[in-house]
Amino acid sequence: MAFTFADSQALGIILEGILYGAYVVLFILYLTLWRRNNRGFGGPLALAQILLFGLCTLSLCFDISVTYLGNVCPILACGLRSLQHNTQVPDVESASSFITARKLNLGSVSIFAVIDYLAQMILLYRCWIVWDRRWVVVAVPGFLALVTLGGGFALAGLDNLLCGKPTTRGSSVFLGQPGLR
């Protein structure tokens, strides 16, 4: 039996939820240590860590919404329609929730690009401190992080422009379905 698109999304959400749970525990430990050791605000690094946690939470919410709207809602709506009218179950593309899921997916990709950039900037800041505040050490990685952020937004925009046909339920993601119309 082939691994379907819905199965891969469900597995992704399960793994993301498990890793997010570990991140929540680590973030609570970070806040506890920060409050115990620092009396003041904590500086830009603490603000960046809090922003990163908020964006990761938002990303998880978007991913769960995309999976629900893209897979569960069409199945429920099509199942009710087929029971009432005794018809065949239509394709995922006919479900109205697919358009909403595409918009949420666009937001999710954009948020992920910002999360990636922010995490790289935190790491580069720490490297900059360790390497005695030498700009030479962080110049090239900082530029590449900025290029990665731009590439993430470009990919999200390209995906929005060239919206491919969705994978139908029951088909495999590895069977070479074309992504462009």
Side-chain angles (χ1 to χ4, degrees), residues 144-163:
L144 291 175
L146 193 60
V147 169
T148 303
L149 177 67
F153 285 139
L155 182 63
L158 183 67
D159 184 51
N160 192 32
L161 276 175
L162 304 172
C163 176

Side-chain angles (χ1 to χ4, degrees), residues 69-152:
L69 289 173
N71 293 322
V72 178
C73 283
I75 292 170
L76 292 176
C78 295
L80 288 175
R81 220 176 298 131
S82 64
L83 284 176
Q84 290 173 351
H85 301 293
N86 207 8
T87 60
Q88 293 286 342
V89 178
D91 193 22
V92 175
E93 188 171 294
S94 65
S96 63
S97 61
F98 176 74
I99 296 169
T100 307
R102 290 286 301 173
K103 290 178 183 177
L104 284 173
N105 192 35
L106 177 67
S108 179
V109 169
S110 301
I111 289 172
F112 182 77
V114 173
I115 289 171
D116 182 49
Y117 178 73
L118 186 60
Q120 289 181 42
M121 287 295 107
I122 291 170
L123 182 64
L124 286 176
Y125 175 76
R126 290 176 176 168
C127 288
W128 182 64
I129 297 296
V130 167
W131 284 89
D132 200 26
R133 299 177 189 255
R134 292 186 188 162
W135 289 103
V136 175
V137 174
V138 296
V140 173
F143 173 73
L144 291 175
L146 193 60
V147 169
T148 303
L149 177 67

Side-chain angles (χ1 to χ4, degrees), residues 15-26:
L15 292 176
E16 189 176 2
I18 291 169
L19 292 175
Y20 179 76
Y23 185 42
V24 167
V25 170
L26 290 174

